[in-house]
Amino acid sequence: VGSSAKTILGCAAIARAIAAQPKIVFADEPTGNLDLATARRVLELFWRVRELGTTVIMATHDVHLIAEYPARTLVLEEGRLVEDRA
């Protein structure tokens, strides 16, 4: 599967996850294989979902991108909590 097909599949998975209006969404590296513009759109979507009352728990290695969205952030190193940015 090519990278643009993976992007489409990833976006479809996110859409399916939020369509049911769950109380919590878990997202494991949802921006990992995306270009910066698409990654920002995905985070903006999660931000809007959060504003509607859904808790979003997301794992990412992209600390620069996540810093653009002021929300509680837990920083782990080697499986240990090293920082809690409320």
Side-chain angles (χ1 to χ4, degrees):
V1 177
S3 71
S4 54
K6 287 180 183 178
T7 299
I8 292 168
L9 290 172
C11 290
I14 292 168
R16 280 192 310 275
I18 63 174
Q21 299 176 331
K23 298 215 181 277
I24 301 174
V25 170
F26 293 95
D28 184 15
E29 293 286 349
T31 61
N33 294 318
L34 304 177
D35 62 78
L36 185 57
T38 305
R40 282 192 171 120
R41 284 193 292 263
V42 167
L43 286 181
E44 185 63 33
L45 175 63
F46 282 137
W47 192 257
R48 289 181 186 156
V49 167
R50 187 189 74 79
E51 288 175 337
L52 295 173
T54 297
T55 298
V56 177
I57 299 174
M58 183 175 77
T60 184
H61 289 90
D62 194 337
V63 294
H64 302 292
L65 186 60
I66 205 68
E68 296 177 25
Y69 295 85
R72 183 176 183 194
T73 304
L74 303 177
V75 179
L76 303 174
E77 288 182 10
E78 297 181 14
R80 295 181 183 263
L81 179 64
V82 296
E83 191 172 351
D84 184 348
R85 302 175 191 159

